[in-house]
Amino acid sequence: MPGYWPHTEAEIAAMLEFLGLRHIDELFASVPEALRLSGALAMAPGRPEPDVLAHMRSMAAANRTLVCFAGGGAYDHEVPPVTAALAGRSEFVTSYTPYQAEVSQGVLQAVFEFQTLVTRLTGMDVANASLYDGAAALSEAVNLAVGTTGRSTVWVSQGVNPAWRAVLATLASGPHHCLVEIPLVGGQTHWESRGDAGRAAHGDAPGAVVVAYPNYLGCLEDLAEARRLCDRTGALLVVAVDPIAAGILRSAGSWGADVVVGEGQPFGLPLSFGGPYLGLFSCRGEHVRRLPGRLVGETVDSDGRRAYVTTLRTREQDIRREKATSNVCTNQTLMAITAAIQLGWLGSNGLAEVATRCAQGTRYCRERLLALEHVAPLVPAPVVREFAVHLPIDAALAVDRLAEEGLLGGIALGPPYAEDGRGLLVAVTERRTRAEIDRFATAVEKVVR
Amino acid sequence: MSEGCQTAAGGRASSAPLLGGDEEPTLFELSRPGRRAWQLPTTDVPEVPLADLVPADHRRDEPPPLAEVSERDLVAHFTRLSHRQYSVDLGAYPLGSCTMKYNPKMCDTVAGLDGLATVHPAAPARYTQGWLQLLVELEQALCAVTGMAAATLQPAAGAAGELTGLLLMRAWHEQQGRQRRSVIIPDSAHGTNPASVTLGGYRVLTVPSDQRGCVDLRALRQVVDDDVAGIMLTNPNTLGLFERDIAAIADAVHEAGGLLYYDGANLNAIMGVVRPGDMGFDIVHLNLHKTFATPHGGGGPGAGPVAVTSALAPLLPGPRPVLDAESASYSWEQPARSIGPVHSWHGNALVLARALAYALVHGADGLRQVAQLAVLNANWLRVQLGQLFDVAHEEPCMHECVLSAATLRREHGIRAVDVAKGLLDEGFHAPTVAFPLVVEDALMFEPTETESVQTLYALAEACRRVVARAGVEPGAGDLHHAPRRTPVRRVDEAQAARRLIATFDARPGADA
Ligand SMILES: Cc1ncc(COP(=O)(O)O)c(C=O)c1O
């Protein structure tokens, strides 16, 4: 039987004898007889590695690789060999939470650098060591805002990724946050619209106002207006940023955000069918005692040398238990280290260049599609790294047909973005060539006909 | 003593060479303006000036101030950082409750397969049949191991699984038209349990452990009433003891209309021996990063699938991957009364792929052997360590053993944390310290099944030397000054909290 244990039969026998046992089953004497499994587990016996690898390879081969024009929070960016090689070092891969700081300086310093990079990008004072994904970061931000303001009403722009909003809705059902969705008009959040229906139904002032920058349709929001709204109502401003676009856009911090969240997948993580990704979380310094999850701080060792350690631990579940700011324990540290490596590789100018190229590809692709008959902009607002068009046919059908052409054409949009289901959300990264974009435009022309 | 256990130990890392005692500069100190590593592909996409792409009021004036380093310096920096890091690949990592077993390299190969790693999560099901099959196969394996009917693979870690489970519990009660306000957890529970209970909108009711270290059944019966939504347990519990009264506990909770939640952090002890479903549990989370050997990544990613009975299956997060037997194809299905999704996409998919590969290599027989050898190792080590430390509970343990440094503390002022630091000097990772909270100065050792008896022996001998140092007069050689051979010496945690420096820019003198 295959396995990774080192024991020889003779050693097992000797260990049992040492313990005064005759049979290995006697180790389980405390498990009541009546509960024990009488036969084997309902699964096949073990198989050698090469057989299992062949099976896994055959499943991998059953996924068809398509040229990616889809985004929606997961983007096909360049992952250089150097990032993959460094992030794959087994010292990072096979360690755990740095509970013993003296033998964990590698992970701790890498996370400290990650925290610094995130704050420099978002314009915030502190960033944590990671959360599960963008949706988790959003939910934690809302919890922080509700906890800080003592108000459980949360205004969430429909420009925030709908998958994240769905997770937020699931998780908000526990503590009973009241989520009020604010619609987009022309591609930008129409905060006013909350006026009639919203005020009547949820007269309470919000504890948080949540907006995305750029939003789900790729549009730039008026963050100054969102900030003024927060100043008027006393809410915290939570901004969900796209971390690549942040390379060319003003930082959310400079617009007055209190908490900035995001999905860090574009920083060196492959698409991976949706995970493991990287929840980015940063905030103003005054909120640090409500920060969810781990935080690495600099300190000294007993010889006075610079050293790093997880800090402000009394916020966390293992110490504060039911009063903890969050329940997160295992997070996505390896992804945070990967992001630090990737951002180190890109540097200031490389990130700006990637963002610029995405915006150029977006511009070119959008113009190509809008030149087609019956393809129109879905919304008029200016876009940066993703855009939405209105097709003359059902968008899900178009996506299916484009797949037959070897293209992942985007994400089909239905309500509330396109009531008729004919919206298509398209993402163009720095990896897409002009030839691919031309082929894409030709294919769209063909499938919508 | 087992024969031959005194030969060379594969899991002792005391030979790891570490050059020099200097600090490693940060990326920001290595940075020089104008240096670069990045290279981007040629695309022939028409260039447009940034000013024409982004409206002026939204545009950054300067690129974000990250760091500017060469590829060579980047590689050297992170390679040196990796040399300042203990890991399972380097040596034994007996961190209790965390199941730091060896992670098969084959699973790295699986996670790196192009056909898995390059797939966009929104790609139509017709083009991701391999991924869907993989997820369905994993769900089946997890249901087999737990004795449950269906599972969601979305939760990204154990704590996310707990919160998912509690929301399922809430939805189930609401469906029965009941409002219940509290959830019971034992005082030995992991901190994520009470934290998740709060986030699930419930109040925590704590039940004490009895002298045996198990749930006090009498105390439990007193708190169970019709306001109790359920109980969260891990079995074996965090003291490494099997809750023998589990059937009676299940009856008491079920009779009051509550549900039983199984924290699967300790599943490694019982795979193939007993299933949570047979113990009466309704909701089970698994920590694939523990039991199914997916690497812990310096603190994550993990994966915390949640398996449930058939009664709860319609409430699971969606969409769920399903096999349509007729067309022999896979698709996504929304459960009838789903609580909603708990992840942006489908969970930590590449972690799930690793776990399936691990499950398939082991199979029914191998998983059972994993549990047996994990328990054998823990008991062998427990007997060795019982000669050195106070024993929290006299009985044989399951996959981990909890000892106490209480006597060392009383007699020499040596705490569990000092023992831990001493072990680092011996070339081992430390056990979990100060948890579970119900044991004074706890030392929780979980050797896992992948350590050899030689490694266990060397670990016990290392502990013996550490304990011998407890009596050393205060001074450079005493345990309060351990560790001495590590990249940095005892780290000042108090200063870190007092003078918070959470970014490079917050350092004194940095012009932030
Ligand atoms: C007993 C127990 N329960 C729950 C958890 C939480 O799991 P995770 O860290 O994956 O969130 C852990 C581990 O950290 C644990 O040891």
Side-chain angles (χ1 to χ4, degrees):
Chain A
M1 156 196 358
Y4 300 93
W5 47 82
H7 306 63
T8 65
E9 289 301 326
E11 284 172 344
I12 293 173
M15 291 173 81
L16 285 172
E17 194 190 324
F18 172 71
L19 293 172
L21 302 176
R22 269 165 322 201
H23 193 273
I24 204 153
D25 286 344
E26 291 173 24
L27 288 167
F28 296 89
S30 61
V31 180
E33 194 71 49
L35 300 179
R36 283 193 224 167
L37 203 59
S38 47
L41 289 170
M43 57 196 288
R47 283 147 64 194
E49 270 190 10
D51 301 17
V52 172
L53 266 177
H55 178 58
M56 302 302 292
R57 283 205 172 95
S58 80
M59 288 193 289
N63 298 315
R64 209 160 129 225
T65 308
L66 305 169
V67 179
C68 187
F69 285 89
Y75 301 92
D76 183 27
H77 288 289
E78 200 63 31
V79 180
V82 63
T83 297
L86 289 176
R89 287 194 66 92
S90 82
E91 296 87 345
F92 297 136
V93 175
T94 75
S95 51
Y96 192 33
T97 305
Y99 294 118
Q100 295 295 332
E102 295 82 3
V103 289
S104 305
Q105 289 297 300
V107 164
L108 286 162
Q109 185 170 337
V111 171
F112 181 80
E113 293 175 3
F114 165 78
Q115 291 173 181
T116 304
L117 290 162
V118 172
T119 56
R120 287 185 175 190
L121 193 58
T122 60
M124 293 281 104
D125 301 317
V126 283
N128 76 4
S130 75
L131 293 165
Y132 307 131
D133 61 0
L138 173 65
S139 299
E140 296 278 13
V142 163
N143 287 343
L144 181 147
V146 169
T148 302
T149 60
R151 300 187 199 153
S152 61
T153 297
V154 180
W155 294 356
V156 187
S157 157
Q158 285 185 342
V160 174
N161 189 316
W164 303 7
R165 284 190 285 119
V167 173
L168 176 64
T170 306
L171 302 186
S173 71
H176 291 300
H177 300 330
C178 170
L179 305 178
V180 182
E181 298 214 333
I182 316 292
L184 300 181
V185 173
Q188 284 167 324
T189 313
H190 190 57
W191 299 107
E192 243 69 311
S193 66
R194 198 207 53 84
D196 338 312
R199 203 166 331 210
H202 313 284
D204 304 344
V209 166
V210 188
V211 61
Y213 186 68
N215 67 23
Y216 190 62
L217 301 181
C219 303
L220 295 171
E221 294 272 5
D222 185 347
L223 291 189
E225 186 195 359
R227 180 66 252 174
R228 282 194 299 276
L229 181 63
C230 289
D231 290 339
R232 259 201 326 275
T233 57
L236 296 195
L237 178 59
V238 176
V239 181
V241 298
D242 173 78
I244 292 288
I248 47 176
L249 295 181
R250 267 182 66 184
S251 74
S254 74
W255 288 108
D258 294 292
V259 185
V260 180
V261 297
E263 172 53 74
Q265 177 272 334
F267 292 155
L269 304 175
L271 286 165
S272 321
F273 206 48
Y277 284 3
L278 169 62
L280 302 174
F281 190 103
S282 57
C283 63
R284 290 186 184 280
E286 66 203 78
H287 302 303
V288 71
R289 282 176 199 278
R290 287 186 188 271
L291 188 79
R294 307 216 189 276
L295 179 69
V296 174
E298 184 190 308
T299 181
V300 292
D301 76 352
S302 54
D303 289 342
R305 279 176 303 186
R306 179 160 61 170
Y308 305 89
V309 69
T310 53
T311 193
L312 301 188
R313 299 265 297 116
T314 51
R315 300 163 293 115
E316 290 188 58
Q317 44 75 30
D318 50 337
I319 297 178
R320 191 59 69 80
R321 298 178 76 82
E322 64 264 31
K323 296 199 177 64
T325 55
S326 161
N327 66 339
V328 66
C329 177
T330 297
N331 53 28
Q332 307 275 127
T333 300
L334 185 62
M335 281 57 238
I337 294 173
T338 309
I341 295 166
Q342 176 77 2
L343 286 174
W345 181 78
L346 283 171
S348 313
N349 297 309
L351 179 62
E353 181 65 20
V354 169
T356 303
R357 292 199 187 191
C358 291
Q360 287 169 344
T362 299
R363 168 72 60 93
Y364 178 65
C365 187
R366 186 166 182 268
E367 279 170 2
R368 288 297 318 256
L369 294 193
L370 293 182
L372 304 177
E373 224 180 320
H374 306 305
V375 176
L378 190 69
V379 291
V383 296
V384 188
R385 84 106 105 210
E386 203 157 2
F387 67 97
V389 290
H390 188 265
L391 302 177
I393 64 165
D394 181 75
L397 182 64
V399 169
D400 273 344
R401 289 182 181 167
L402 288 166
E404 281 163 31
E405 308 284 324
L407 302 162
L408 181 55
I411 296 181
L413 298 174
Y417 306 110
E419 292 303 327
D420 58 4
R422 294 180 174 187
L424 183 69
L425 183 65
V426 179
V428 183
T429 68
E430 81 287 1
R431 296 196 70 205
R432 292 290 76 80
T433 62
R434 180 179 186 148
E436 286 170 333
I437 296 171
D438 290 343
R439 183 154 78 82
F440 177 55
T442 308
V444 171
E445 183 176 27
K446 178 173 150 196
V447 304
V448 301
R449 219 180 291 150
Chain B
M1 194 72 49
S2 298
E3 210 177 311
C5 64
Q6 303 180 23
T7 54
R12 185 170 180 212
S14 55
S15 69
L18 297 162
L19 285 177
D22 288 350
E23 297 170 0
E24 171 63 18
T26 61
L27 266 186
F28 313 104
E29 290 155 307
L30 293 167
S31 174
R32 306 301 306 160
R35 234 176 228 162
R36 68 179 259 188
W38 60 275
Q39 307 181 37
L40 296 175
T42 306
T43 61
D44 299 323
V45 169
E47 285 181 29
V48 180
L50 191 55
D52 295 345
L53 293 167
V54 183
D57 50 336
H58 288 277
R59 203 164 55 233
R60 258 187 201 279
D61 301 329
E62 299 276 331
L66 301 180
E68 294 176 80
V69 296
S70 64
E71 178 164 320
R72 193 271 170 281
D73 286 355
L74 186 76
V75 169
H77 174 63
F78 281 99
T79 302
R80 287 193 299 264
L81 286 185
S82 77
H83 289 179
R84 295 162 76 79
Q85 181 63 41
Y86 196 94
S87 62
V88 172
D89 276 9
L90 187 66
Y93 212 126
L95 195 64
S97 207
C98 301
T99 316
M100 298 298 288
K101 60 172 82 175
Y102 165 70
N103 313 127
K105 295 297 164 193
M106 176 244 343
C107 300
D108 293 354
T109 303
V110 169
L113 290 175
D114 255 1
L116 298 182
T118 62
V119 181
H120 193 284
R126 201 144 59 87
Y127 296 88
T128 55
Q129 288 290 298
W131 257 119
L132 285 148
Q133 179 185 349
L134 190 158
L135 298 180
V136 167
E137 285 190 12
L138 179 63
E139 180 184 347
Q140 284 165 354
L142 301 182
C143 286
V145 170
T146 55
M148 292 284 150
T152 172
L153 304 176
Q154 285 185 23
E162 292 170 21
L163 181 51
T164 304
L166 287 156
L167 294 175
L168 289 167
M169 197 182 272
R170 170 177 284 284
W172 187 78
H173 283 297
E174 276 168 9
Q175 190 184 303
Q176 320 288 308
R178 301 199 281 244
Q179 286 294 337
R180 297 196 164 199
R181 285 175 304 181
S182 46
V183 170
I184 300 175
I185 56 172
D187 56 5
S188 60
H190 191 260
T192 50
N193 291 187
S196 298
V197 168
T198 302
L199 287 174
Y202 286 113
R203 203 161 38 110
V204 173
L205 274 184
T206 307
V207 280
S209 306
D210 61 16
Q211 277 160 350
R212 299 167 307 160
C214 292
V215 169
D216 185 330
L217 195 56
R218 273 232 303 266
L220 175 76
R221 289 203 170 109
Q222 268 161 22
V223 295
V224 178
D225 60 21
D226 61 8
D227 199 32
V228 167
I231 185 169
M232 292 181 89
L233 287 179
T234 179
N235 196 14
N237 64 24
T238 62
L239 293 158
L241 304 173
F242 194 86
E243 299 275 357
R244 293 165 190 257
D245 293 334
I246 184 61
I249 294 171
D251 286 347
V253 174
H254 281 153
E255 268 163 32
L259 296 179
L260 271 82
Y261 181 95
Y262 183 85
D263 172 346
N266 297 335
L267 194 70
N268 207 47
I270 58 161
M271 273 190 298
V273 175
V274 51
R275 301 181 303 177
D278 297 327
M279 296 183 219
F281 285 94
D282 305 283
I283 308 170
V284 178
H285 93 247
L286 298 96
N287 291 66
L288 300 187
H289 43 304
K290 300 179 180 182
T291 318
F292 288 77
T294 71
H296 285 61
V306 172
V308 296
T309 57
S310 54
L312 291 159
L315 300 170
L316 283 173
R320 301 183 50 224
V322 289
L323 171 62
D324 176 41
E326 224 161 273
S327 64
S329 69
Y330 295 87
S331 58
W332 295 106
E333 191 179 272
Q334 198 62 41
R337 292 184 300 278
S338 174
I339 59 167
V342 296
H343 188 268
S344 301
W345 300 100
H346 318 304
N348 279 343
L350 287 182
V351 178
L352 302 173
R354 289 171 183 270
L356 177 63
Y358 179 88
L360 293 178
V361 166
H362 286 82
D365 45 350
L367 292 180
R368 182 180 163 89
Q369 181 124 17
V370 162
Q372 289 173 332
L373 295 178
V375 175
L376 179 65
N377 271 3
N379 276 286
W380 196 90
L381 186 64
R382 184 185 68 87
V383 172
Q384 302 291 342
L385 298 183
Q387 303 163 8
L388 305 172
F389 301 106
D390 305 303
V391 181
H393 298 281
E394 277 300 342
E395 345 173 20
C397 62
M398 299 295 279
H399 64 303
E400 62 195 2
C401 55
V402 179
L403 298 124
S404 161
T407 301
L408 285 178
R409 181 176 199 163
R410 229 179 3 260
E411 292 179 358
H412 303 291
I414 294 297
R415 296 166 309 151
V417 63
D418 302 312
V419 173
K421 302 302 180 198
L423 263 181
L424 304 181
D425 272 341
E426 295 283 344
F428 284 106
H429 196 279
T432 293
V433 293
F435 176 76
L437 305 178
V438 291
V439 174
E440 187 186 346
D441 264 276
L443 289 160
M444 184 189 215
F445 287 88
E446 181 178 9
T448 83
E449 72 283 0
T450 59
E451 296 306 334
S452 68
V453 71
Q454 289 77 17
T455 297
L456 301 185
Y457 179 79
L459 176 60
E461 285 301 298
C463 286
R464 191 181 303 282
R465 285 188 294 274
V466 169
V467 169
R469 274 173 76 189
V472 169
E473 288 298 301
D478 78 6
L479 271 184
H480 296 290
H481 289 82
R484 290 176 301 169
R485 302 174 58 212
T486 46
V488 295
R489 299 196 54 192
R490 189 83 65 110
V491 168
D492 191 341
E493 296 185 23
Q495 173 172 325
R498 207 171 47 237
R499 277 185 39 211
L500 180 67
I501 304 174
T503 67
F504 183 75
D505 305 311
R507 309 183 75 216
D511 43 14

